[in-house]
Amino acid sequence: MPVIELSHLQKSFGEVEVLRDISLSVDKGEVISVIGASGSGKSTMLRCINLLEIPSGGAIYFNGKNIMDKGLDLSEYRAKVGMVFQQFNLFENMTALQNCVVGQVKVLRRRKDEAEEIAREVLSRVGMLQYINAKPKQLSGGQKQRVAIARTLAMNPEAILFDEPTSALDPEMVGEVLGVMKSLADSGYTMIVVTHEMSFAKDVSNRVIFMDKGVVVEDDSPSVIFQNPKMPRTKEFLSRYFSC
């Protein structure tokens, strides 16, 4: 059974149709990179999976259950399907440790001492243990994003959504965040990554999805997508991208 499955997903904002008919499945342990031009619907698809946007049509299944059914505990669902944002979304008035503790206590009902122990473990995992008492304003962009990833890991998610996690970073900070993400992929995490980092998509992903104008144009292995794409639109996008 797929961990996440989208069936004919649609999303419109007024008369603007952003997602037209998205169907795909994500198995446990798969790393899927989603590529495409700005405005193709990539981030909207992720936001629908996490119910930050409510789909206009279709269905989303998590472990076989339709998440649109009434009675869903949204906080618990988002703990299981964590999301790492482009702009970090850390609590500015909290330390790195507190950012990784608050969700565990409020959503998972863990004891504070247990939550702090887990927070230290995940901060260590992303190389941020020495910064546990730093607030976001004291951290670089790459450090903030690593704390944000640690915060998601602290919730023990079954899948993690990454929405262009390196696009707000200075070039020299991109590598440290991609390194953390690669280690998560190597550890078997189920990941959907919207990214412009083609090297990550090529080297780390099990599958690459190319989106354009609200539809999935091509869904295949990295070797096929990057070396022998089947669809003319995919070829055009990649030729333009790599000629930049």
Side-chain angles (χ1 to χ4, degrees):
M1 183 196 313
V3 176
I4 295 170
E5 184 175 6
L6 312 184
S7 179
H8 303 292
L9 185 68
Q10 300 170 19
K11 177 60 183 178
S12 297
F13 295 98
E15 295 183 358
V16 180
E17 196 174 27
V18 179
L19 299 178
R20 289 158 54 193
D21 187 4
I22 304 288
S23 293
L24 62 89
S25 63
V26 183
D27 290 334
K28 182 177 176 62
E30 270 197 305
V31 178
I32 296 178
S33 287
V34 186
I35 63 173
S38 296
S40 58
K42 308 182 302 295
S43 292
T44 299
M45 181 181 73
L46 280 199
R47 292 175 66 84
C48 284
I49 293 173
N50 213 33
L51 292 184
L52 292 168
E53 301 287 355
I54 303 303
S56 305
I60 302 171
Y61 298 93
F62 175 64
N63 289 331
K65 296 181 179 179
N66 190 341
I67 67 170
M68 303 302 295
D69 288 346
K70 293 181 179 179
L72 175 75
D73 187 313
L74 193 54
S75 293
E76 288 188 8
Y77 170 68
R78 286 181 178 155
K80 294 175 181 176
V81 182
M83 189 157 178
V84 176
F85 298 88
Q86 179 179 338
Q87 295 292 344
F88 323 127
N89 288 20
L90 297 174
F91 295 111
E92 294 291 332
N93 63 329
M94 294 185 182
T95 65
L97 183 70
Q98 291 167 336
N99 265 282
C100 294
V101 165
V102 61
Q104 298 184 67
V105 173
K106 290 191 173 183
V107 177
L108 302 182
R109 302 288 188 263
R110 286 176 179 155
R111 299 189 321 273
K112 187 178 179 182
D113 60 338
E114 180 187 6
E116 287 185 351
E117 182 179 351
I118 291 170
R120 285 188 172 88
E121 289 175 2
V122 293
L123 285 165
S124 177
R125 182 170 187 172
V126 301
M128 289 297 294
L129 186 60
Q130 62 183 323
Y131 297 97
I132 60 172
N133 294 318
K135 291 185 177 179
K137 66 181 180 181
Q138 299 170 297
L139 301 173
S140 70
Q143 290 169 334
K144 290 178 187 178
Q145 195 60 289
R146 284 188 282 159
V147 172
I149 293 171
R151 177 181 59 184
T152 298
L153 295 178
M155 304 298 285
N156 194 29
E158 294 187 38
I160 307 176
L161 313 175
F162 293 85
D163 187 10
E164 299 190 19
T166 61
S167 61
L169 303 180
D170 293 333
E172 64 267 22
M173 297 176 184
V174 170
E176 64 187 50
V177 173
L178 291 179
V180 169
M181 293 169 61
K182 184 180 186 305
S183 73
L184 298 180
D186 292 342
S187 297
Y189 277 92
T190 305
M191 299 162 56
I192 305 177
V193 184
V194 170
T195 186
H196 293 292
E197 299 292 337
M198 297 299 164
S199 60
F200 178 91
K202 184 178 180 181
D203 298 337
V204 180
S205 308
N206 302 111
R207 283 162 52 203
V208 176
I209 289 171
F210 171 65
M211 288 182 64
D212 186 54
K213 298 179 181 178
V215 300
V216 172
V217 175
E218 197 157 353
D219 176 355
D220 217 317
S221 68
S223 60
V224 169
I225 294 292
F226 288 107
Q227 297 173 27
N228 190 30
K230 299 181 178 70
M231 305 303 293
R233 182 66 187 95
T234 314
K235 294 178 183 178
E236 180 188 7
F237 170 78
L238 291 172
S239 66
R240 287 182 179 180
Y241 193 94
F242 287 114
S243 65
C244 292

